[in-house]
Amino acid sequence: MSYFPSGEDQAFRICKVLADVFCAILLGTFSIVFFGWIGGIVAFVILEAALLGLDWLMPSARDAAGVVR
């Protein structure tokens, strides 16, 4: 799934990036508060890797039914 589909305008794209940055800062803060500095950084990296992997695996509307990437 593409991060910026062709039907989006520039304002929507900017808001999308800002929302992702805000969520990353929030998740990083929570992971450091709950797990300490080292554990928080490790937890943040694992969480972001899982979220990016999930974004990559989710099918888009243009994918054929049953497609495996």
Side-chain angles (χ1 to χ4, degrees), residues 24-34 44:
I25 291 170
L26 191 66
L27 289 172
T29 302
F30 284 156
S31 63
I32 290 172
V33 167
F34 289 127
F44 178 73

Side-chain angles (χ1 to χ4, degrees), residues 9-66:
D9 60 351
Q10 184 178 6
F12 188 77
R13 292 177 186 206
I14 290 171
C15 291
K16 194 173 186 180
V17 169
L18 289 176
D20 285 345
V21 169
F22 175 74
C23 288
I25 291 170
L26 191 66
L27 289 172
T29 302
F30 284 156
S31 63
I32 290 172
V33 167
F34 289 127
F35 300 116
W37 280 104
I38 301 296
I41 292 171
V42 170
F44 178 73
V45 168
I46 291 171
L47 180 64
E48 284 298 319
L51 290 175
L52 289 173
L54 217 131
D55 282 344
W56 186 76
L57 290 174
M58 294 297 291
S60 68
R62 289 187 270 181
D63 287 340

